[in-house]
Amino acid sequence: MKRIVIKGKLTQLPTCSEVMPTITAYVELPEKEIAGPVEFIIDTGSSQTVLLDRDVIRLGINVKKLKKAAKSIGIGGEAETFQLGKAKLYFKTENGSNYTIEKEMYAIRHSKLRGEAARRIISLPSILGMDFIKEFKLIINSRDGEVLLIKEEN
């Protein structure tokens, strides 16, 4: 039995007073020739893993060239959702190796927000949703600021 342990951390986000569990992955969109590191909030209330505004902009993803998906409703209200296609997510494990998952990914843009609301949403990391989390045991150790995703594989 192989044990995979991916470490995250509790991070103070600029938009809220509480710390949030986060994890970093290297995301590759091969069909779009786009890649880069992405910080994700581990969000058990989200069904999908999505790239939010900050990373869509930083990675240079032109949403005008993407096919629209069903609108998303969440923390920033209603937002446009776009299909990114297959993505590869690479996570560093506790022993230094890579854990790779390939999955359909989406991008979200909150194009109708203005002012302070827009600034707050654009500062948020992307979202690692239950479509990924459900494969792992999630441990959040608030006292030590530690976040662990653990998976047993044959």
Side-chain angles (χ1 to χ4, degrees):
M1 186 84 85
K2 182 179 175 185
R3 186 171 197 238
I4 298 162
V5 179
I6 303 170
K7 286 188 172 188
K9 61 184 179 181
L10 292 174
T11 304
Q12 178 72 52
L13 301 178
T15 56
C16 66
S17 59
E18 300 298 322
V19 294
M20 300 291 287
T22 63
I23 195 162
T24 300
Y26 188 83
V27 176
E28 180 182 10
L29 302 166
E31 296 170 10
K32 314 250 180 302
E33 297 182 354
I34 293 172
V38 174
E39 181 184 27
F40 290 95
I41 294 173
I42 299 171
D43 187 352
T44 60
S46 176
S47 60
Q48 293 283 114
T49 297
V50 296
L51 295 181
L52 289 183
D53 305 74
R54 177 178 87 173
D55 294 310
V56 170
I57 294 165
R58 186 180 56 76
L59 293 171
I61 298 169
N62 183 352
V63 295
K64 292 178 182 172
K65 293 183 177 181
L66 300 175
K67 184 177 178 184
K68 284 190 177 185
K71 287 193 177 191
S72 296
I73 299 174
I75 193 167
E78 194 173 85
E80 292 182 294
T81 306
F82 302 89
Q83 295 177 357
L84 289 170
K86 289 277 186 202
K88 291 182 181 179
L89 285 76
Y90 302 91
F91 296 88
K92 277 282 184 224
T93 65
E94 185 176 53
N95 68 7
S97 64
N98 278 327
Y99 176 78
T100 306
I101 187 167
E102 189 171 325
K103 60 181 310 323
E104 287 292 321
M105 285 279 292
Y106 297 88
I108 291 180
R109 287 300 314 264
H110 293 84
S111 58
K112 294 182 181 174
L113 293 178
R114 300 289 179 258
E116 180 63 17
R119 187 193 66 75
R120 294 183 90 190
I121 288 295
I122 287 176
S123 71
L124 289 175
S126 291
I127 295 173
L128 191 69
M130 286 303 295
D131 58 332
F132 178 84
I133 300 166
K134 69 183 178 187
E135 303 293 325
F136 291 83
K137 179 188 336 182
L138 171 61
I139 299 173
I140 300 173
N141 180 342
S142 298
R143 186 185 64 210
D144 296 333
E146 186 176 62
V147 176
L148 299 173
L149 289 165
I150 301 170
K151 183 177 185 177
E152 306 284 343
E153 285 188 337
N154 292 326

